[in-house]
Amino acid sequence: MLSPLGPVNVWETEYLQRLDPVVEGHPVRHFTQSTAIRPFLAQMTPDEATRYTQAYEAALCDAYSIEQDGRVLLTFRRVFFTAVVPRSS
């Protein structure tokens, strides 16, 4: 898609972020509730949002185990790209 513009470089990096314990719920849910999950919850009734959050919490517990100190290691992937567009004379 970008190759007609010039050379394109693409790479991905996996980051690990240690999330601190939270008072209520899973640390990953707390981390994502104001960004990635927010648009979904905004479209739900309060009852739907509660059921969704409970199911999300259960899935997070399976995917991201909570360490003894209450922290969680969150792995997330980022894809980067650069394109070099030749200058026109």
Side-chain angles (χ1 to χ4, degrees):
M1 178 158 88
L2 296 173
S3 59
L5 298 175
V8 176
N9 292 307
V10 179
W11 70 96
E12 72 179 7
T13 300
E14 227 175 61
Y15 293 97
L16 283 175
Q17 182 165 345
R18 184 178 291 269
L19 300 177
D20 289 329
V22 294
V23 175
E24 183 180 325
H26 195 282
V28 174
R29 180 184 60 83
H30 184 76
F31 183 75
T32 60
Q33 73 185 3
S34 64
T35 55
I37 300 306
R38 188 180 209 174
F40 296 102
L41 294 177
Q43 301 300 314
M44 297 179 189
T45 66
D47 187 51
E48 290 170 331
T50 298
R51 288 194 320 266
Y52 178 85
T53 300
Q54 289 170 345
Y56 184 44
E57 288 268 346
L60 289 173
C61 287
D62 290 340
Y64 299 98
S65 59
I66 298 175
E67 297 174 6
Q68 280 196 310
D69 64 1
R71 294 181 178 164
V72 172
L73 280 178
L74 173 64
T75 304
F76 58 99
R77 183 175 303 157
R78 293 288 185 253
V79 177
F80 300 92
F81 70 93
T82 61
V84 179
V85 179
R87 292 183 185 206
S88 55
S89 311

